[in-house]
Amino acid sequence: MPLFTRSRQLPGPTAESTGSTPGAQGDAAKADAPEREHDAAPAADASTAPDGRPEKAGASGGEATSAGEDDAPASDEATQEAKAASAAPDEGRPPADAEDGTPDAAHEAPDDTPDSPARAGWFGWRRRYPRAARGVTVGTTVLAGALVLFALLMPNRLERLHIEAFLRLPAEGILLATLLLALPPRPRRITAVVAGVLLGLLTVLKFVDMGFYQVLARPFDLVLDWILLDDAAEFVRESFGRSGQVLAVIGVIVLFLAVLVLMTLAMVRVTHLMVRHRHTATRTTIVLGLAWITCVTLGVQAGGAQLATRGTAQMVENRVKAVRAGIADARIFEKQAAVDAFADTPPDQLLTGLRGKDVLFTFIESYGRVAIDDPAMAGPMDAALKEGTDRLKAAGFASRSAWLKSPVTGAGSWLAHSTFLSGLWIKNQQRYRSLTTSDRMTLTKYFRKTGDWRTVGVVPGVRRAWPEGKFFGLDHIYDSEHLGYHGPYFSWTPVPDQFSLEAFERLEHGRKNREPIMAEIILASSHNPWSPVARMIDWEDLGDGSVFHEIKKEGTDPKEIWKDPEKVRTEYRRAIEYSLRSLTEWMERYGDEDTVLVFLGDHQPVPTVTAGSRSKDVPVTIVARDKKVLDRVADWNWTEGLKPAPHAPRWGMDKFRDRFMTAYGPQGGR
């Protein structure tokens, strides 16, 4: 072993050979010690025996030194310090109190020692492929930074998700970087983890908001909307089966956990990078802060959006306000619900103008103003409404139409139904729960209170227990299991509208020697996803609904339809036309002098159909053969026919109950 022997016997460098004093030489050796260890690692690996095992050192402990010392001999003092450093506990990590006070190289030195887990990580892969390992490390760091930036800049609406949204300066990122650089080591690590978790939660919330905007045209309510997640899971089960529901729920949970974990790890990695390059990070943060202030002052824009943004902070601020408003809303609603103009009216003074009539309140799912006003749908819809008006007129019926403003859009039919019937603005689930657990009188309850009507509900969209039915004052409820239907589902829709109306005729309206009926009928064929859509057949051929198996096969595939928004809009229009025709043909076929029909949409369809419209208007129509029925609402100035004029009266849906009861009360029509 002459190489090791010669290396051991070489004297240390003299002051003359180094051109410095012994003290300076000692200081230099101390500063360079970690780097010498790094340079020595390859040489140490090279000194192996033919069988691949390291050669054993001789009896002298000095034989264990690296061959690299031949190229960079060190003083005895430097050698002793290097040995002390290698024997220190917690190898590979700088002491906490030195993390902020030592040069960058000193921070990384322990991780570069040959035996450290960091250098030999990934089962030795880093040592065998140092360049690839370096590339992976750099790539991971870049991805971590991109992930944090993505979380800070990502909008919460799908239509705003474009490249310009990510070419901005986030104030939250600049402030967070400043805080992390200013904190001591332990608080900094805790802050990085907490910030990562919060960013992950905000990212999940933004994704949820995107879904809510696509369906309900509003963000997720942190106080009131949790129950809607259960409804969403139920919708998936009814549309795609139990297995589809399970896979969807598992996927959501896995995605949620993945976002939290990845965002936290990314935040910690970015923080370590800033600390290792403190001076560069500090200068960069100051420059970005000044740039942000300048952009705000000058109003600099990129792609039509402000270059300097505080969108995430604004989103959090809005959510805090929404939570406070949601908590306060319960008290506000309680006061509103206590006011009822007809609460003390005697039963014999209620709805006197409709005594002896069958009154049908019919909701057409998703029948919104867009179906009439949108240029792409206006032509076919005009033709359908005109045909319906003419057919009813030929059968002796007249009609009047106007607009109602729904409390919801996209979904939430039960909120619209309860608003219409209760005379209260039921805009969220909290109000709905408060209403259905109160003694508030609804329009249906007032009919029942008179004792002159049998009140029934035809609700084919209900597939399980519906305890709220008792609150609405319905004597009997026909859900999807009690209409005698043995045909297929049409996506979400359990029973086609034509069959639901024929079942109502068979089970209630067509019975002999019966009392007058007040019915709440909910037509579901125009429910999202509008594919496949049933078609009209001869009423005599409906039977038990088995005929719809073949009709469903003729329909479209929702998975294909939803790839193209224009196809979705076309299928939506066809579904509305089917519902309208089912209703008008039923009225033409079974209506008589004592039949009064009030039908309306419950809400606008999803934004895919409304194409960005913020309107919540829905059409409402009254149809009757008895002229006196329509004379009582002549002062409403509604449009003649099934199609409301663009400037026809527009009421809040909560105003209908009281105006209807006034018009058909003892004072109405005078």
Side-chain angles (χ1 to χ4, degrees), residues 23-36 74-75 77-79 81-82 85 106:
Q25 177 190 352
D27 293 339
K30 293 178 182 179
D32 294 341
E35 296 181 25
R36 287 200 306 275
S75 66
E77 181 180 354
T79 303
E81 289 187 13

Side-chain angles (χ1 to χ4, degrees), residues 395-474:
F397 292 96
S399 53
R400 301 289 185 273
S401 300
W403 305 104
L404 296 179
K405 180 184 177 182
S406 175
V408 294
T409 183
S413 302
W414 61 96
L415 303 181
H417 301 168
S418 55
T419 295
F420 179 83
L421 296 174
S422 70
L424 296 171
W425 194 248
I426 312 300
K427 62 181 180 179
N428 55 50
Q429 194 65 20
Q430 177 175 268
R431 288 191 167 207
Y432 180 77
R433 287 178 173 176
S434 298
L435 172 69
T436 54
T437 55
S438 71
D439 57 359
R440 173 78 178 187
M441 292 293 292
T442 63
L443 189 55
T444 46
K445 275 185 177 179
Y446 276 122
F447 272 92
R448 186 181 185 183
K449 183 179 179 180
T450 66
D452 289 338
W453 279 276
R454 170 176 165 80
T455 58
V456 300
V458 179
V459 286
V462 174
R463 301 172 174 84
R464 53 187 176 182
W466 188 44
E468 294 91 339
K470 294 182 179 179
F471 164 78
F472 288 108
L474 300 175

Side-chain angles (χ1 to χ4, degrees), residues 377-666:
M377 306 183 204
M381 282 299 301
D382 281 351
L385 292 171
K386 185 178 185 305
E387 179 188 2
T389 300
D390 293 343
R391 292 176 67 121
L392 289 173
K393 189 174 182 178
F397 292 96
S399 53
R400 301 289 185 273
S401 300
W403 305 104
L404 296 179
K405 180 184 177 182
S406 175
V408 294
T409 183
S413 302
W414 61 96
L415 303 181
H417 301 168
S418 55
T419 295
F420 179 83
L421 296 174
S422 70
L424 296 171
W425 194 248
I426 312 300
K427 62 181 180 179
N428 55 50
Q429 194 65 20
Q430 177 175 268
R431 288 191 167 207
Y432 180 77
R433 287 178 173 176
S434 298
L435 172 69
T436 54
T437 55
S438 71
D439 57 359
R440 173 78 178 187
M441 292 293 292
T442 63
L443 189 55
T444 46
K445 275 185 177 179
Y446 276 122
F447 272 92
R448 186 181 185 183
K449 183 179 179 180
T450 66
D452 289 338
W453 279 276
R454 170 176 165 80
T455 58
V456 300
V458 179
V459 286
V462 174
R463 301 172 174 84
R464 53 187 176 182
W466 188 44
E468 294 91 339
K470 294 182 179 179
F471 164 78
F472 288 108
L474 300 175
D475 293 320
H476 191 82
I477 296 173
Y478 296 96
D479 58 21
S480 61
E481 301 297 324
H482 297 87
L483 292 174
Y485 180 69
H486 295 281
Y489 277 29
F490 284 76
S491 290
W492 183 89
T493 306
V495 184
D497 291 347
Q498 186 182 9
F499 189 94
S500 296
L501 291 168
E502 178 65 22
F504 169 65
E505 176 65 23
R506 170 170 40 86
L507 296 169
E508 289 286 346
H509 188 264
R511 291 166 53 191
K512 297 181 179 180
N513 301 319
R514 60 171 176 79
E515 57 188 322
I517 299 171
M518 188 241 74
E520 178 187 357
I521 302 174
I522 301 175
L523 301 180
S525 287
S526 51
H527 194 288
N528 184 336
W530 310 300
S531 174
V533 180
R535 60 173 173 81
M536 295 296 297
I537 61 174
D538 192 295
W539 292 80
E540 301 295 338
D541 296 336
L542 287 171
D544 65 356
S546 299
V547 65
F548 285 101
H549 282 287
E550 289 300 319
I551 295 175
K552 181 179 180 180
K553 294 178 182 178
E554 300 171 3
T556 55
D557 184 350
K559 294 189 291 296
E560 293 299 320
I561 291 297
W562 277 84
K563 294 178 181 178
D564 184 349
E566 288 307 313
K567 290 182 178 179
V568 173
R569 289 156 60 81
T570 298
E571 294 302 297
Y572 163 77
R573 174 185 57 76
R574 292 181 60 234
I576 295 297
E577 289 176 359
Y578 170 75
S579 297
L580 287 170
R581 189 172 177 186
S582 297
L583 191 56
T584 54
E585 283 195 18
W586 181 91
M587 194 70 174
E588 180 186 17
R589 182 180 177 88
Y590 296 116
D592 57 28
E593 186 73 17
D594 293 325
T595 306
V596 177
L597 170 66
V598 180
F599 73 89
L600 66 152
D602 48 16
H603 55 71
Q604 287 261 65
V606 297
T608 302
V609 178
T610 59
S613 172
R614 294 181 177 273
S615 172
K616 292 185 177 181
D617 293 352
V618 297
V620 58
T621 300
I622 298 179
V623 181
R625 182 179 288 175
D626 187 346
K627 183 176 181 297
K628 292 182 292 186
V629 172
L630 293 180
D631 286 345
R632 282 182 171 257
V633 297
D635 61 344
W636 288 3
N637 298 316
W638 285 19
T639 305
E640 184 175 351
L642 301 184
K643 178 186 175 183
H647 300 293
R650 176 177 177 265
W651 303 344
M653 195 176 280
D654 58 328
K655 305 300 181 185
F656 182 87
R657 188 203 75 158
D658 287 6
R659 293 189 178 187
F660 184 86
M661 293 187 66
T662 299
Y664 292 104

